[in-house]
Structures are given as structure tokens and as C-alpha cells.
């Protein structure tokens, strides 16, 4: 198994074609509530995405989130729109198996990705976008060291109501300072 990063609860590995059935859980309304994804994804489009995911021209790194002792992913996480010159990327994560929500999986995956981004890929800045109503995600991001740096007012319409989109980021010096502060 191609494990990239290992934590206590989970490990991160490349997404494989065998993961299609698990990946299709992203279509549930409960999960899509927190994603930019508007239209359902079918297996054909998911296979096409997987075929190009690790091509040399791909400007992203996406990994499967797999609980220890299991083989099928419960989510994915990654860096998107990687800018190797300015050394930054947009972070994304989704736990599509909702039975793994509120169990520390997202927090551990975020910590592992920050370590990977700053310690191995030499990023200077990692940023993300989160909907103001996604309190669970905002709590995780703040716990992992992200700070709010901006707000796109009423940029998300959900259930007939407009919501702000928050921009958050963490810089490499903030990440490394937090490591020194740990007991």
C-alpha cells in the first residue's frame, strides 16, 4: 500500500480507481452542503478525473483519507492550484463518509497535510475557503493554525439565502512556531 503520511487514526495514500464506490458518497446532500460541488458526479466523470489526477500537468495533489486498519477511504484531502514559484496552494478536505464526522479524522488529516505542505513541499502559504455556516470546519482550521484573512460577502447561495465565504490561511513561520510551542 502506498502510504504517504501516517497518523494515529488515519493514513493518507494516493486515490486509486478501486476507490470509485467510496468516492461516490460525495453525492449525498449532507456532504454537498459544504462543498462548491453543485451537480451530482457520476462514475464516468469521476473516472475521468482520476485518470488525469496524477498526470504531470496536474497542478494538484489529492490523497485518500483512510482509517487505520481499513482499505477504503472515508474522504479525500489535497492541495489545489499549486503555485510552485510563490510556494502556495489551496487546501481542501472532504469527509464523505458521515459516520466519520466529529471523530477527529478531519483534524488529523489537516495536521498531516500541513506537515506535508510545509516540511516536504516547502510551501510558504496554505490557504482555503470555507462557508460561514460550516462551523465544524472553521473550528478544525482554527485549531490547526489557520486564521481568517478575508471575507467574500454573500458569495454563496444555499437554500435561498446568501452566506459569506471566509478566506483563511496559515504561513510557514506560523506553522513552525506552533511546533516549537507544543509540549
Amino acid at each position: 500500500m502506498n502510504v504517504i503520511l501516517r497518523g494515529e487514526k488515519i493514513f493518507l495514500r494516493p486515490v486509486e480507481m478501486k476507490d470509485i464506490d467510496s468516492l461516490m458518497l460525495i453525492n449525498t446532500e449532507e456532504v454537498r452542503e459544504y462543498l462548491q460541488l453543485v451537480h451530482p458526479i457520476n462514475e464516468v466523470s469521476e473516472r475521468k478525473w482520476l485518470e488525469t489526477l496524477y498526470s504531470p500537468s496536474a497542478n494538484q495533489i489529492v490523497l485518500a483519507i483512510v482509517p487505520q486498519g481499513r482499505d477504503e477511504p472515508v474522504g479525500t484531502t489535497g492541495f489545489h492550484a499549486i503555485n510552485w514559484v510563490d510556494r502556495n496552494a489551496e487546501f481542501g478536505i472532504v469527509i464523505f463518509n458521515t459516520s466519520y464526522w466529529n471523530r477527529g479524522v478531519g483534524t488529523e488529516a489537516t495536521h498531516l497535510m500541513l506537515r506535508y505542505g510545509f516540511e516536504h513541499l516547502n510551501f510558504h502559504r496554505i490557504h482555503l475557503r470555507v462557508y460561514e455556516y460550516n462551523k465544524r470546519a472553521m473550528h478544525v482550521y482554527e485549531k490547526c493554525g489557520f486564521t481568517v484573512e478575508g471575507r467574500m460577502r454573500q458569495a454563496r447561495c444555499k437554500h435561498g439565502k446568501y452566506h459569506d465565504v471566509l478566506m483563511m490561511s496559515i504561513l510557514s513561520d506560523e506553522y513552525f512556531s506552533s511546533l516549537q510551542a507544543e509540549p
Side-chain angles (χ1 to χ4, degrees):
M1 185 172 310
N2 278 328
V3 175
I4 301 297
L5 300 165
R6 188 176 300 278
E8 292 180 18
K9 300 176 183 184
I10 60 161
F11 62 89
L12 305 179
R13 65 159 171 79
V15 181
E16 304 287 346
M17 203 59 80
K18 68 179 181 172
D19 299 328
I20 288 283
D21 288 342
S22 296
L23 295 173
M24 297 309 292
L25 290 173
I26 203 167
N27 282 320
T28 63
E29 185 175 353
E30 190 175 14
V31 174
R32 284 195 347 256
E33 182 89 7
Y34 303 106
L35 303 176
Q36 291 178 354
L37 181 66
V38 176
H39 303 290
I41 295 175
N42 65 21
E43 193 172 319
V44 173
S45 65
E46 197 70 357
R47 283 187 185 281
K48 285 181 184 178
W49 175 71
L50 277 172
E51 288 168 0
T52 62
L53 184 59
Y54 297 108
S55 71
S57 63
N59 208 19
Q60 62 183 344
I61 298 169
V62 179
L63 300 171
I65 302 169
V66 184
Q68 297 289 357
R70 298 190 53 173
D71 188 42
E72 62 279 345
V74 297
T76 59
T77 184
F79 296 121
H80 308 278
I82 297 172
N83 182 325
W84 296 106
V85 174
D86 294 330
R87 298 176 31 228
N88 66 62
E90 183 169 4
F91 174 72
I93 185 169
V94 58
I95 308 297
F96 43 69
N97 184 329
T98 58
S99 65
Y100 283 86
W101 286 8
N102 301 313
R103 294 176 66 185
V105 170
T107 300
E108 187 170 78
T110 302
H111 279 299
L112 289 171
M113 289 300 287
L114 290 177
R115 186 177 84 202
Y116 185 54
F118 290 124
E119 297 181 25
H120 298 282
L121 300 176
N122 197 32
F123 288 154
H124 173 68
R125 178 177 185 275
I126 298 172
H127 59 275
L128 60 85
R129 290 174 281 177
V130 60
Y131 303 129
E132 67 178 345
Y133 57 82
N134 194 346
K135 303 297 186 195
R136 183 175 52 245
M138 289 188 319
H139 174 73
V140 167
Y141 301 144
E142 288 171 349
K143 186 166 47 168
C144 292
F146 285 87
T147 58
V148 174
E149 65 180 18
R151 176 181 300 269
M152 296 188 302
R153 298 178 309 140
Q154 298 186 9
R156 168 74 167 176
C157 184
K158 193 68 179 174
H159 304 298
K161 183 179 177 202
Y162 285 94
H163 304 274
D164 293 353
V165 178
L166 302 180
M167 308 297 291
M168 300 180 79
S169 70
I170 182 171
L171 303 177
S172 59
D173 62 339
E174 295 166 340
Y175 168 78
F176 288 111
S177 291
S178 74
L179 294 180
Q180 292 174 349
E182 290 178 2

